[in-house]
PDB file of all heavy atoms in Angstrom:
ATOM      1  N   HIS W 109      27.609  55.564  68.210  1.00  0.00           N
ATOM      2  CA  HIS W 109      26.189  55.979  68.399  1.00  0.00           C
ATOM      3  C   HIS W 109      25.539  56.069  66.960  1.00  0.00           C
ATOM      4  O   HIS W 109      26.190  56.536  66.009  1.00  0.00           O
ATOM      5  CB  HIS W 109      26.022  57.341  69.086  1.00  0.00           C
ATOM      6  CG  HIS W 109      24.799  57.622  69.781  1.00  0.00           C
ATOM      7  ND1 HIS W 109      23.761  58.002  69.004  1.00  0.00           N
ATOM      8  CD2 HIS W 109      24.274  57.490  71.025  1.00  0.00           C
ATOM      9  CE1 HIS W 109      22.683  58.156  69.775  1.00  0.00           C
ATOM     10  NE2 HIS W 109      22.963  57.725  70.995  1.00  0.00           N
ATOM     11  N   PRO W 110      24.258  55.658  66.844  1.00  0.00           N
ATOM     12  CA  PRO W 110      23.663  55.739  65.522  1.00  0.00           C
ATOM     13  C   PRO W 110      23.356  57.165  65.124  1.00  0.00           C
ATOM     14  O   PRO W 110      22.897  57.420  63.957  1.00  0.00           O
ATOM     15  CB  PRO W 110      22.295  54.974  65.746  1.00  0.00           C
ATOM     16  CG  PRO W 110      22.069  54.950  67.256  1.00  0.00           C
ATOM     17  CD  PRO W 110      23.500  55.006  67.884  1.00  0.00           C
ATOM     18  N   SER W 111      23.417  58.180  66.072  1.00  0.00           N
ATOM     19  CA  SER W 111      22.983  59.552  65.693  1.00  0.00           C
ATOM     20  C   SER W 111      24.100  60.446  65.443  1.00  0.00           C
ATOM     21  O   SER W 111      25.055  60.542  66.434  1.00  0.00           O
ATOM     22  CB  SER W 111      22.129  60.010  66.880  1.00  0.00           C
ATOM     23  OG  SER W 111      21.364  60.994  66.403  1.00  0.00           O
ATOM     24  N   SER W 112      24.209  61.120  64.305  1.00  0.00           N
ATOM     25  CA  SER W 112      25.289  62.002  64.015  1.00  0.00           C
ATOM     26  C   SER W 112      25.352  63.147  65.118  1.00  0.00           C
ATOM     27  O   SER W 112      24.423  63.668  65.476  1.00  0.00           O
ATOM     28  CB  SER W 112      25.010  62.727  62.676  1.00  0.00           C
ATOM     29  OG  SER W 112      24.872  61.793  61.500  1.00  0.00           O
ATOM     30  N   GLY W 113      26.563  63.317  65.564  1.00  0.00           N
ATOM     31  CA  GLY W 113      26.867  64.421  66.604  1.00  0.00           C
ATOM     32  C   GLY W 113      26.705  64.031  68.056  1.00  0.00           C
ATOM     33  O   GLY W 113      26.997  64.740  68.871  1.00  0.00           O
ATOM     34  N   ALA W 114      26.282  62.739  68.176  1.00  0.00           N
ATOM     35  CA  ALA W 114      25.880  62.222  69.644  1.00  0.00           C
ATOM     36  C   ALA W 114      27.266  62.164  70.296  1.00  0.00           C
ATOM     37  O   ALA W 114      27.301  62.425  71.494  1.00  0.00           O
ATOM     38  CB  ALA W 114      25.184  60.818  69.610  1.00  0.00           C
ATOM     39  N   LEU W 117      28.238  65.481  71.519  1.00  0.00           N
ATOM     40  CA  LEU W 117      27.441  65.938  72.648  1.00  0.00           C
ATOM     41  C   LEU W 117      27.923  65.273  73.893  1.00  0.00           C
ATOM     42  O   LEU W 117      28.238  65.896  75.021  1.00  0.00           O
ATOM     43  CB  LEU W 117      26.026  65.551  72.402  1.00  0.00           C
ATOM     44  CG  LEU W 117      25.026  65.791  73.487  1.00  0.00           C
ATOM     45  CD1 LEU W 117      24.846  67.374  73.691  1.00  0.00           C
ATOM     46  CD2 LEU W 117      23.682  65.144  73.102  1.00  0.00           C
ATOM     47  N   GLY W 132      26.480  57.925  63.523  1.00  0.00           N
ATOM     48  CA  GLY W 132      25.550  58.267  62.457  1.00  0.00           C
ATOM     49  C   GLY W 132      26.251  58.283  61.141  1.00  0.00           C
ATOM     50  O   GLY W 132      26.990  57.346  60.791  1.00  0.00           O
ATOM     51  N   SER W 133      25.865  59.188  60.261  1.00  0.00           N
ATOM     52  CA  SER W 133      26.543  59.351  58.991  1.00  0.00           C
ATOM     53  C   SER W 133      27.674  60.344  59.100  1.00  0.00           C
ATOM     54  O   SER W 133      28.015  61.023  58.017  1.00  0.00           O
ATOM     55  CB  SER W 133      25.468  59.708  57.997  1.00  0.00           C
ATOM     56  OG  SER W 133      24.419  58.761  57.988  1.00  0.00           O
TER      57      SER W 133
ATOM     58  N   GLY X 193      11.664  62.976  58.376  1.00  0.00           N
ATOM     59  CA  GLY X 193      12.793  62.480  58.970  1.00  0.00           C
ATOM     60  C   GLY X 193      14.020  63.319  58.854  1.00  0.00           C
ATOM     61  O   GLY X 193      15.169  62.876  59.104  1.00  0.00           O
ATOM     62  N   THR X 194      13.989  64.615  58.276  1.00  0.00           N
ATOM     63  CA  THR X 194      15.081  65.396  58.038  1.00  0.00           C
ATOM     64  C   THR X 194      15.255  66.476  59.288  1.00  0.00           C
ATOM     65  O   THR X 194      14.320  66.750  59.922  1.00  0.00           O
ATOM     66  CB  THR X 194      15.034  66.167  56.782  1.00  0.00           C
ATOM     67  OG1 THR X 194      13.774  66.945  56.783  1.00  0.00           O
ATOM     68  CG2 THR X 194      14.898  65.124  55.573  1.00  0.00           C
ATOM     69  N   ALA X 195      16.451  66.987  59.409  1.00  0.00           N
ATOM     70  CA  ALA X 195      16.761  67.906  60.466  1.00  0.00           C
ATOM     71  C   ALA X 195      17.420  69.105  59.994  1.00  0.00           C
ATOM     72  O   ALA X 195      17.423  70.041  60.763  1.00  0.00           O
ATOM     73  CB  ALA X 195      17.711  67.112  61.523  1.00  0.00           C
ATOM     74  N   VAL X 196      18.019  69.092  58.895  1.00  0.00           N
ATOM     75  CA  VAL X 196      18.729  70.360  58.383  1.00  0.00           C
ATOM     76  C   VAL X 196      18.331  70.450  56.858  1.00  0.00           C
ATOM     77  O   VAL X 196      17.719  69.570  56.194  1.00  0.00           O
ATOM     78  CB  VAL X 196      20.166  70.232  58.574  1.00  0.00           C
ATOM     79  CG1 VAL X 196      20.662  70.321  59.954  1.00  0.00           C
ATOM     80  CG2 VAL X 196      20.719  68.885  57.950  1.00  0.00           C
ATOM     81  N   LEU X 205      28.093  67.256  58.267  1.00  0.00           N
ATOM     82  CA  LEU X 205      27.663  66.839  59.619  1.00  0.00           C
ATOM     83  C   LEU X 205      27.084  65.490  59.653  1.00  0.00           C
ATOM     84  O   LEU X 205      26.845  64.810  60.736  1.00  0.00           O
ATOM     85  CB  LEU X 205      26.613  67.800  60.245  1.00  0.00           C
ATOM     86  CG  LEU X 205      26.999  69.237  60.505  1.00  0.00           C
ATOM     87  CD1 LEU X 205      25.985  70.104  61.140  1.00  0.00           C
ATOM     88  CD2 LEU X 205      28.284  69.257  61.577  1.00  0.00           C
ATOM     89  N   GLY X 206      26.814  64.937  58.425  1.00  0.00           N
ATOM     90  CA  GLY X 206      26.264  63.569  58.325  1.00  0.00           C
ATOM     91  C   GLY X 206      24.720  63.640  58.848  1.00  0.00           C
ATOM     92  O   GLY X 206      24.229  62.704  59.342  1.00  0.00           O
ATOM     93  N   LEU X 207      24.079  64.820  58.746  1.00  0.00           N
ATOM     94  CA  LEU X 207      22.605  64.894  59.153  1.00  0.00           C
ATOM     95  C   LEU X 207      21.667  64.741  57.990  1.00  0.00           C
ATOM     96  O   LEU X 207      21.975  65.179  56.914  1.00  0.00           O
ATOM     97  CB  LEU X 207      22.506  66.190  59.875  1.00  0.00           C
ATOM     98  CG  LEU X 207      23.166  66.350  61.160  1.00  0.00           C
ATOM     99  CD1 LEU X 207      22.990  67.890  61.680  1.00  0.00           C
ATOM    100  CD2 LEU X 207      22.485  65.359  62.217  1.00  0.00           C
ATOM    101  N   PRO X 208      20.558  64.179  58.198  1.00  0.00           N
ATOM    102  CA  PRO X 208      19.643  63.974  57.096  1.00  0.00           C
ATOM    103  C   PRO X 208      19.068  65.428  56.578  1.00  0.00           C
ATOM    104  O   PRO X 208      18.477  66.164  57.447  1.00  0.00           O
ATOM    105  CB  PRO X 208      18.483  63.123  57.642  1.00  0.00           C
ATOM    106  CG  PRO X 208      18.627  63.296  59.142  1.00  0.00           C
ATOM    107  CD  PRO X 208      20.094  63.568  59.503  1.00  0.00           C
ATOM    108  N   GLY X 209      19.192  65.692  55.416  1.00  0.00           N
ATOM    109  CA  GLY X 209      18.793  67.085  54.875  1.00  0.00           C
ATOM    110  C   GLY X 209      17.613  66.968  54.065  1.00  0.00           C
ATOM    111  O   GLY X 209      17.352  65.929  53.379  1.00  0.00           O
ATOM    112  N   TYR X 276      26.626  71.014  65.896  1.00  0.00           N
ATOM    113  CA  TYR X 276      25.394  70.268  66.278  1.00  0.00           C
ATOM    114  C   TYR X 276      24.635  71.176  67.398  1.00  0.00           C
ATOM    115  O   TYR X 276      24.255  70.526  68.451  1.00  0.00           O
ATOM    116  CB  TYR X 276      25.683  68.920  66.891  1.00  0.00           C
ATOM    117  CG  TYR X 276      26.327  67.976  65.856  1.00  0.00           C
ATOM    118  CD1 TYR X 276      27.603  67.626  65.785  1.00  0.00           C
ATOM    119  CD2 TYR X 276      25.479  67.417  64.919  1.00  0.00           C
ATOM    120  CE1 TYR X 276      28.141  66.994  64.825  1.00  0.00           C
ATOM    121  CE2 TYR X 276      26.041  66.511  63.850  1.00  0.00           C
ATOM    122  CZ  TYR X 276      27.443  66.414  63.905  1.00  0.00           C
ATOM    123  OH  TYR X 276      27.996  65.538  62.931  1.00  0.00           O
ATOM    124  N   THR X 278      21.769  72.374  68.971  1.00  0.00           N
ATOM    125  CA  THR X 278      20.411  72.200  68.810  1.00  0.00           C
ATOM    126  C   THR X 278      19.536  73.401  69.076  1.00  0.00           C
ATOM    127  O   THR X 278      18.246  73.325  68.665  1.00  0.00           O
ATOM    128  CB  THR X 278      19.926  71.043  69.721  1.00  0.00           C
ATOM    129  OG1 THR X 278      20.274  71.366  71.048  1.00  0.00           O
ATOM    130  CG2 THR X 278      20.641  69.699  69.360  1.00  0.00           C
ATOM    131  N   LYS X 281      18.048  74.569  66.103  1.00  0.00           N
ATOM    132  CA  LYS X 281      17.175  73.631  65.217  1.00  0.00           C
ATOM    133  C   LYS X 281      15.781  74.182  65.216  1.00  0.00           C
ATOM    134  O   LYS X 281      15.225  74.294  66.292  1.00  0.00           O
ATOM    135  CB  LYS X 281      17.191  72.292  65.839  1.00  0.00           C
ATOM    136  CG  LYS X 281      16.365  71.199  65.096  1.00  0.00           C
ATOM    137  CD  LYS X 281      16.453  69.825  65.648  1.00  0.00           C
ATOM    138  CE  LYS X 281      15.699  68.881  64.834  1.00  0.00           C
ATOM    139  NZ  LYS X 281      15.616  67.498  65.471  1.00  0.00           N
ATOM    140  N   SER X 318      14.591  68.517  76.179  1.00  0.00           N
ATOM    141  CA  SER X 318      14.284  68.296  74.840  1.00  0.00           C
ATOM    142  C   SER X 318      15.202  68.828  73.864  1.00  0.00           C
ATOM    143  O   SER X 318      15.015  68.447  72.666  1.00  0.00           O
ATOM    144  CB  SER X 318      12.762  68.642  74.531  1.00  0.00           C
ATOM    145  OG  SER X 318      12.608  70.138  74.881  1.00  0.00           O
ATOM    146  N   LYS X 319      16.107  69.681  74.317  1.00  0.00           N
ATOM    147  CA  LYS X 319      17.137  70.241  73.381  1.00  0.00           C
ATOM    148  C   LYS X 319      18.524  69.359  73.490  1.00  0.00           C
ATOM    149  O   LYS X 319      19.376  69.524  72.614  1.00  0.00           O
ATOM    150  CB  LYS X 319      17.290  71.701  73.626  1.00  0.00           C
ATOM    151  CG  LYS X 319      16.158  72.631  72.947  1.00  0.00           C
ATOM    152  CD  LYS X 319      16.400  72.636  71.428  1.00  0.00           C
ATOM    153  CE  LYS X 319      15.474  73.678  70.831  1.00  0.00           C
ATOM    154  NZ  LYS X 319      15.575  73.616  69.324  1.00  0.00           N
ATOM    155  N   LEU X 321      19.957  66.786  73.336  1.00  0.00           N
ATOM    156  CA  LEU X 321      19.831  65.439  72.732  1.00  0.00           C
ATOM    157  C   LEU X 321      20.575  65.470  71.470  1.00  0.00           C
ATOM    158  O   LEU X 321      20.995  66.502  70.957  1.00  0.00           O
ATOM    159  CB  LEU X 321      18.423  65.108  72.421  1.00  0.00           C
ATOM    160  CG  LEU X 321      17.472  64.784  73.611  1.00  0.00           C
ATOM    161  CD1 LEU X 321      16.019  64.807  73.110  1.00  0.00           C
ATOM    162  CD2 LEU X 321      17.849  63.567  74.363  1.00  0.00           C
ATOM    163  N   PRO X 322      21.002  64.202  70.888  1.00  0.00           N
ATOM    164  CA  PRO X 322      21.638  64.315  69.645  1.00  0.00           C
ATOM    165  C   PRO X 322      20.709  65.066  68.622  1.00  0.00           C
ATOM    166  O   PRO X 322      19.516  65.067  68.722  1.00  0.00           O
ATOM    167  CB  PRO X 322      21.713  62.774  69.325  1.00  0.00           C
ATOM    168  CG  PRO X 322      21.808  62.106  70.589  1.00  0.00           C
ATOM    169  CD  PRO X 322      20.904  62.924  71.503  1.00  0.00           C
ATOM    170  N   TYR X 323      21.299  65.675  67.664  1.00  0.00           N
ATOM    171  CA  TYR X 323      20.701  66.714  66.797  1.00  0.00           C
ATOM    172  C   TYR X 323      19.372  66.240  66.262  1.00  0.00           C
ATOM    173  O   TYR X 323      18.366  66.882  66.272  1.00  0.00           O
ATOM    174  CB  TYR X 323      21.637  67.272  65.760  1.00  0.00           C
ATOM    175  CG  TYR X 323      21.120  68.477  65.214  1.00  0.00           C
ATOM    176  CD1 TYR X 323      21.388  69.765  65.801  1.00  0.00           C
ATOM    177  CD2 TYR X 323      20.368  68.570  63.988  1.00  0.00           C
ATOM    178  CE1 TYR X 323      21.002  70.975  65.260  1.00  0.00           C
ATOM    179  CE2 TYR X 323      19.894  69.826  63.575  1.00  0.00           C
ATOM    180  CZ  TYR X 323      20.203  71.028  64.226  1.00  0.00           C
ATOM    181  OH  TYR X 323      19.707  72.231  63.620  1.00  0.00           O
ATOM    182  N   VAL X 324      19.392  65.090  65.767  1.00  0.00           N
ATOM    183  CA  VAL X 324      18.241  64.467  64.999  1.00  0.00           C
ATOM    184  C   VAL X 324      16.979  64.339  66.067  1.00  0.00           C
ATOM    185  O   VAL X 324      15.958  64.548  65.649  1.00  0.00           O
ATOM    186  CB  VAL X 324      18.521  63.211  64.280  1.00  0.00           C
ATOM    187  CG1 VAL X 324      17.252  62.655  63.702  1.00  0.00           C
ATOM    188  CG2 VAL X 324      19.604  63.507  63.049  1.00  0.00           C
ATOM    189  N   GLU X 325      17.405  63.918  67.216  1.00  0.00           N
ATOM    190  CA  GLU X 325      16.335  63.587  68.250  1.00  0.00           C
ATOM    191  C   GLU X 325      15.993  64.869  68.962  1.00  0.00           C
ATOM    192  O   GLU X 325      14.773  64.804  69.590  1.00  0.00           O
ATOM    193  CB  GLU X 325      16.907  62.566  69.251  1.00  0.00           C
ATOM    194  CG  GLU X 325      17.173  61.208  68.671  1.00  0.00           C
ATOM    195  CD  GLU X 325      18.334  60.568  69.265  1.00  0.00           C
ATOM    196  OE1 GLU X 325      18.400  60.535  70.511  1.00  0.00           O
ATOM    197  OE2 GLU X 325      19.137  60.041  68.660  1.00  0.00           O
ATOM    198  N   ALA X 326      16.706  65.898  68.891  1.00  0.00           N
ATOM    199  CA  ALA X 326      16.360  67.075  69.701  1.00  0.00           C
ATOM    200  C   ALA X 326      15.039  67.834  69.128  1.00  0.00           C
ATOM    201  O   ALA X 326      14.798  67.755  67.945  1.00  0.00           O
ATOM    202  CB  ALA X 326      17.531  68.098  69.624  1.00  0.00           C
ATOM    203  N   ALA X 327      14.383  68.463  70.016  1.00  0.00           N
ATOM    204  CA  ALA X 327      13.133  69.195  69.583  1.00  0.00           C
ATOM    205  C   ALA X 327      13.495  70.321  68.747  1.00  0.00           C
ATOM    206  O   ALA X 327      14.539  70.942  68.893  1.00  0.00           O
ATOM    207  CB  ALA X 327      12.308  69.535  70.871  1.00  0.00           C
ATOM    208  N   SER X 328      12.518  70.799  67.895  1.00  0.00           N
ATOM    209  CA  SER X 328      12.752  72.027  67.084  1.00  0.00           C
ATOM    210  C   SER X 328      12.091  73.092  67.807  1.00  0.00           C
ATOM    211  O   SER X 328      11.178  73.047  68.552  1.00  0.00           O
ATOM    212  CB  SER X 328      12.004  71.792  65.723  1.00  0.00           C
ATOM    213  OG  SER X 328      12.487  70.707  65.016  1.00  0.00           O
TER     214      SER X 328
END
Side-chain angles (χ1 to χ4, degrees):
Chain W
H109 198 283
S111 205
S112 301
L117 177 66
S133 305
Chain X
T194 59
V196 288
L205 291 182
L207 291 172
Y276 303 99
T278 56
K281 185 179 180 185
S318 50
K319 281 288 188 184
L321 290 170
Y323 199 85
V324 170
E325 294 148 46
S328 296

